[in-house]
Amino acid sequence: MIDIIVFGLVGLGLLLAIFRLLIGPNTQDRVVSLDTINVIVIGVIALLARAFNNSLYLDIAIVYAILAFLETVVFARYLEGRKHGNS
Amino acid sequence: MELINYVEIVVGVLLIVLAFLAINSKSLIKAVMFLSSMSMMSVIGFVLMKAPDVAVTEAVIGSGLVTSLFVFTLLSVRKVGNKA
């Protein structure tokens, strides 16, 4: 019963973050919503590791957390380079 | 149906919607963002199919390598186009 509530709330948050990714007025909003989706995905993987009773899936969450940080830094580098590279 | 089946249905529908948006968006950086979020959903899909090694490989390649490659390629292309 508690799993239904938890997965429902996580799915609602994922849906709202994808909605912001779809209609975001400028690129900064989309980058922030991508970071939010990354955090939600890490939480979903940890919840699935709890639902499957298998601690092997937590390694995926660790690897994914490191690469999500790298992805956010790469998008931030893109925004900075677009602002300074106009000369 | 179990709860996991409903989670699989939601993840599959989001995969199709994000793939459609990635191939139909106008600007290139928006398409890269939709492709990256589709890669995230496919990581959840591989975890749901109980394939952890495929999920780790997809997380490394899809979220780290492909997104970095596309973003840096887009940055360098735009810089050369502005100089010319």
Side-chain angles (χ1 to χ4, degrees):
Chain A
M1 183 60 200
I2 195 74
D3 278 345
I4 297 175
I5 301 173
V6 167
F7 275 108
L9 287 176
V10 166
L12 183 66
L14 188 62
L15 220 62
L16 290 176
I18 286 177
F19 190 65
R20 176 54 66 189
L21 178 66
L22 188 58
I23 64 157
N26 45 13
T27 314
Q28 284 87 5
D29 292 333
R30 292 193 168 94
V31 174
V32 171
S33 80
L34 265 182
D35 201 22
T36 310
I37 296 172
N38 274 322
V39 174
I40 291 172
V41 164
I42 293 163
V44 167
I45 292 171
L47 283 174
L48 286 174
R50 183 203 167 274
F52 288 152
N53 278 324
N54 195 350
S55 70
L56 190 62
Y57 296 98
L58 289 176
D59 296 339
I60 308 170
I62 294 170
V63 172
Y64 196 81
I66 296 170
L67 289 165
F69 173 70
L70 183 118
E71 182 188 343
T72 308
V73 168
V74 164
F75 275 113
R77 178 72 181 81
Y78 173 78
L79 290 175
E80 186 191 25
R82 195 186 57 178
K83 194 192 295 178
H84 288 291
N86 281 329
S87 64
Chain B
M1 287 173 74
E2 294 287 326
L3 177 64
I4 299 298
N5 298 121
Y6 288 109
V7 179
E8 279 179 352
I9 289 172
V10 170
V11 168
V13 169
L14 284 179
L15 264 173
I16 294 175
V17 169
L18 285 172
F20 183 77
L21 288 171
I23 62 173
N24 269 332
S25 63
K26 296 291 182 188
S27 79
L28 290 175
I29 186 68
K30 217 186 289 184
V32 174
M33 282 174 185
F34 285 130
L35 184 69
S36 164
S37 56
M38 200 204 77
S39 164
M40 297 171 201
M41 290 304 124
S42 74
V43 169
I44 299 181
F46 284 133
V47 171
L48 283 170
M49 287 183 245
K50 298 186 179 176
D53 44 354
V54 188
V56 168
T57 311
E58 174 69 28
V60 170
I61 293 187
S63 176
L65 208 63
V66 170
T67 308
S68 308
L69 185 69
F70 279 165
V71 169
F72 281 126
T73 305
L74 216 55
L75 204 59
S76 114
V77 163
R78 180 129 345 148
K79 210 177 289 178
V80 170
N82 278 332
K83 273 179 190 171

